[in-house]
Amino acid sequence: MKIYRIRDFPESVAIGIAWGVAISFTPLLGFHLIICYLGTLAMRGNLIAATVGSVIGNPWTFPFFFYAAYKLGVNFIYSPLEYYEFKIGFLIENFSKLFFPTLFGSLPIAITSWFITYRVSKFYLEKKFYEKKNKIGS
């Protein structure tokens, strides 16, 4: 509901939300907001909305996002690892075998989520925007 309070055009807010959500699916932790802001600025979106949209990526959702992206990346480009260990040493030794399939698998998910988020949020924001405009005008 706080998204409705952002004073900007619905399209600008929808672009910001879409960039925030889409970048949350990538494994580029630490660079999410930077990439999100660059994409939002390039398309003249709202930075506050981009920040709000990036909240979808959090420690509770990242494991699901990264697992789905890894499985997608392995199916398209790379071969899966034969065994897994949940140890820091294993993750460091096999960084490229885990990171690159996850990165490439996250791209179709991010692109799809961008378009879905943009369309849905623009629809609801325009609806609310015109309701507000008609309420003021009458």
Side-chain angles (χ1 to χ4, degrees):
M1 294 306 290
K2 295 195 181 222
I3 293 293
Y4 292 131
R5 294 183 186 154
I6 296 175
R7 294 191 181 266
D8 205 348
F9 293 106
E11 185 173 353
S12 177
V13 176
I15 288 170
I17 294 170
W19 270 103
V21 169
I23 295 301
S24 293
F25 285 97
T26 64
L28 302 170
L29 298 175
F31 297 103
H32 280 174
L33 286 178
I34 295 168
I35 298 168
C36 175
Y37 290 161
L38 291 174
T40 303
L41 286 173
M43 295 182 75
R44 297 183 182 206
N46 188 293
L47 294 178
I48 295 169
T51 306
V52 172
S54 69
V55 172
I56 195 170
N58 59 61
W60 294 101
T61 59
F62 283 142
F64 301 108
F65 293 167
F66 296 160
Y67 179 76
Y70 176 76
K71 287 298 187 182
L72 191 62
V74 164
N75 285 336
F76 286 130
I77 300 173
Y78 294 92
S79 59
L81 291 173
E82 294 159 9
Y83 70 98
Y84 300 93
E85 289 181 26
F86 195 66
K87 294 181 182 176
I88 296 295
F90 177 80
L91 296 174
I92 292 171
E93 289 172 10
N94 297 302
F95 178 76
S96 63
K97 293 177 184 175
L98 293 169
F99 178 74
F100 291 115
T102 307
L103 178 65
F104 290 120
S106 71
L107 294 178
I109 298 170
I111 291 168
T112 304
S113 69
W114 192 97
F115 283 107
I116 292 171
T117 305
Y118 174 75
R119 299 289 289 185
V120 170
S121 60
K122 185 178 176 187
F123 173 77
Y124 285 110
L125 288 166
E126 282 180 342
K127 185 177 174 183
K128 190 73 167 179
F129 181 76
Y130 291 121
E131 283 177 6
K132 225 190 270 186
K133 194 174 183 181
N134 288 337
K135 190 176 186 181
I136 293 171
S138 53

